[in-house]
Amino acid sequence: ALLSGGWFPRIGGGFVHWKTVRANPRAQREIMWGELKDRGRAIDKVLRFYDGDVSKVLDICRQTIVFDNIEDLSHCVAVMRQDKEVQVVRVKNRMDPEEQGGGEHASKVYAGYRDVALNLKFKTEEAEGLGIDGHVCEVRLVYKELAQMLQGQRGQGRHQRYIEYRNSRGS
């Protein structure tokens, strides 16, 4: 986030720039850190898509980083791919126009939602010492205009309608 101009969702709405947080660690209290995936949704994914294999659920722990423009978002992907302390396990590019034709990440499958989701493992001595070097987390990279729109939709029933749509498609 620091090297690519990333922002984090702020508690109460809006976003806080990672440069601000680095300059003032107390600003971390303002960040709306990602919550663990709901247990029911995780079980649902295991049963519907992964034939009971829980190791295939890669987004239990997740965080969103927001970008002003596609160039910064793309730069973040490149930085993560080059980081020796990070292993990129999977990339879901729901912004790729090639997916518009009906791929598994096509816009119609996600009701127009667009992001790049990277599933990562941390390859550091600290992660190994804690026994979490095999754990996969998800970082979602989102264009700021979409993130602003989504923040305005929370609590208005739209997210619930998306969940109902997603479930009706079996995804």
Side-chain angles (χ1 to χ4, degrees):
L2 182 63
L3 297 175
S4 51
W7 300 75
F8 286 78
R10 175 181 272 149
I11 295 170
F15 306 95
V16 60
H17 202 276
W18 190 245
K19 282 184 182 180
T20 301
V21 174
R22 289 291 297 242
N24 177 11
R26 298 178 96 174
Q28 282 192 24
R29 296 180 198 158
E30 297 178 35
I31 295 175
M32 183 170 49
W33 294 107
E35 296 179 2
L36 295 177
K37 179 177 277 307
D38 177 75
R39 184 180 312 171
R41 176 64 179 148
I43 291 169
D44 186 47
K45 286 179 90 169
V46 167
L47 296 176
R48 280 187 180 189
F49 308 110
Y50 303 137
D51 198 30
D53 185 353
V54 297
S55 70
K56 292 183 178 179
V57 180
L58 302 179
D59 61 347
I60 296 289
C61 177
R62 56 208 170 162
Q63 182 62 44
T64 299
I65 306 175
V66 176
F67 296 91
D68 289 320
N69 55 62
I70 299 303
E71 293 78 17
D72 289 348
L73 187 151
S74 297
H75 182 68
C76 184
V77 172
V79 168
M80 286 190 195
R81 285 181 178 268
Q82 294 170 4
D83 190 329
K84 293 180 183 358
E85 295 184 342
V86 172
Q87 176 188 351
V88 177
V89 176
R90 178 177 71 181
V91 177
K92 282 191 207 176
N93 185 354
R94 291 183 279 244
M95 291 189 175
D96 185 348
E98 295 299 315
E99 295 291 351
Q100 297 289 333
E104 69 175 302
H105 305 304
S107 180
K108 67 179 181 180
V109 174
Y110 287 92
Y113 178 78
R114 311 309 285 160
D115 72 2
V116 175
L118 294 118
N119 295 110
L120 313 169
K121 290 183 183 181
F122 292 96
K123 298 297 180 183
T124 64
E125 286 185 24
E126 181 181 13
E128 189 175 333
L130 292 170
I132 60 170
D133 54 319
H135 176 74
V136 179
C137 63
E138 182 171 271
V139 178
R140 285 184 261 169
L141 310 178
V142 181
Y143 185 51
K144 196 172 189 179
E145 286 185 28
L146 177 62
Q148 289 169 326
M149 183 185 75
L150 293 173
Q151 276 188 345
Q153 291 180 0
R154 297 284 180 201
Q156 295 181 17
R158 292 183 184 132
H159 186 67
Q160 182 59 38
R161 286 195 298 274
Y162 164 72
I163 291 171
E164 290 168 6
Y165 167 78
R166 177 194 67 202
N167 290 342
S168 74
R169 295 187 51 80
S171 54

